[in-house]
Amino acid sequence: MRPYAIFCAAVVAAFAAAEYRGVNLIPQTQHVSVPSSVRAAPGGYRTFRTWGGGGFRGGK
């Protein structure tokens, strides 16, 4: 158990040192801003709800 505790302490210390130095370990993703004309177009960007059940969305 003691070697595992030492390993965990070393990992935490490494993350703390990286944070102190300003190293970005997890880069930010870039989000694209979609114009409102594209969002409002029929059949365009996300025209239906994706969260929740929503019921049947099939064709004929």
Side-chain angles (χ1 to χ4, degrees):
M1 186 71 173
R2 186 151 174 97
Y4 181 70
I6 293 171
F7 172 74
C8 290
V11 168
V12 169
F15 273 105
E19 181 69 27
Y20 179 74
R21 294 188 64 192
V23 176
N24 190 7
L25 296 175
I26 303 172
Q28 297 284 333
T29 58
Q30 294 181 357
H31 297 282
V32 177
S33 178
V34 178
S36 61
S37 62
V38 173
R39 288 193 308 260
Y45 180 76
R46 293 186 188 173
T47 57
F48 57 88
R49 288 187 334 169
T50 58
W51 303 107
F56 180 71
R57 290 198 188 104
K60 293 182 179 178

